[in-house]
Amino acid sequence: MAPEEKKGGNAHKMTKSMPFLKCTMDCSIIDVGFIGSTFTWCNGRILENRVWERLDRVLINTEWSQKFADTSMIHLVRIGSDHSSLLIIVAVPQQTTQRYFKFLYFWIQEPGVNDILKQAWAEKVNGSPLW
């Protein structure tokens, strides 16, 4: 996608990246970025002929980024392949359910309940009175 995503070999030509860039814009998808080495592929040749490139990436749409805002990706070390493995981390937001106060009316009919309630409310509390 960009000249800094290639090292070695022939110089990067933006004209080759334009169809892919146009596709990402047309589809409203974005690259989540990465942690780790810049490059995900290597041709494995000897030093003067070695080429490194970032060929692999994670693309997400707007709906994904709204639902999983903390999506990230790590380029792992290349082992047994010319491509690095990608570790995608998706932090699933905690869904809290709203809990409603429930009052069971039958407690009012219990003998001594008023004394218990008065005693509980009169108790001294250290810190926030709401606690």
Side-chain angles (χ1 to χ4, degrees):
M1 287 182 83
E4 56 273 2
E5 293 181 343
K6 182 177 182 188
K7 179 179 167 186
N10 296 329
H12 173 78
K13 295 179 181 167
M14 280 303 292
T15 54
K16 289 188 174 186
S17 298
M18 293 313 290
F20 183 68
L21 291 168
K22 182 179 181 333
C23 178
T24 60
M25 288 190 291
D26 291 347
C27 296
S28 298
I29 53 178
I30 57 170
D31 189 328
V32 299
F34 62 92
I35 299 166
S37 172
T38 304
F39 310 108
T40 63
W41 174 84
C42 178
N43 66 358
R45 295 188 181 160
I46 57 175
L47 294 178
E48 60 268 5
N49 295 322
R50 185 164 291 180
V51 177
W52 297 87
E53 292 188 64
R54 180 176 180 222
L55 298 179
D56 310 289
R57 57 190 73 239
V58 172
L59 303 169
I60 59 174
N61 62 16
T62 304
E63 291 80 12
W64 181 278
S65 66
Q66 288 171 348
K67 190 167 185 175
F68 306 106
D70 292 331
T71 301
S72 60
M73 192 223 346
I74 300 172
H75 293 169
L76 300 176
V77 176
R78 287 183 315 111
I79 297 176
S81 175
D82 54 352
H83 288 265
S84 298
S85 295
L86 307 180
L87 175 62
I88 302 165
I89 301 169
V90 180
V92 179
Q94 295 285 336
Q95 291 185 346
T96 57
T97 56
Q98 190 166 4
R99 297 176 187 203
Y100 297 96
F101 174 77
K102 294 179 183 170
F103 179 76
L104 302 175
Y105 186 76
F106 71 84
W107 285 115
I108 290 191
Q109 298 168 348
E110 285 292 312
V113 74
N114 285 339
D115 294 333
I116 293 170
L117 290 173
K118 283 179 189 175
Q119 186 179 9
W121 281 100
E123 191 173 315
K124 291 279 185 194
V125 176
N126 291 326
S128 171
L130 294 175
W131 188 244

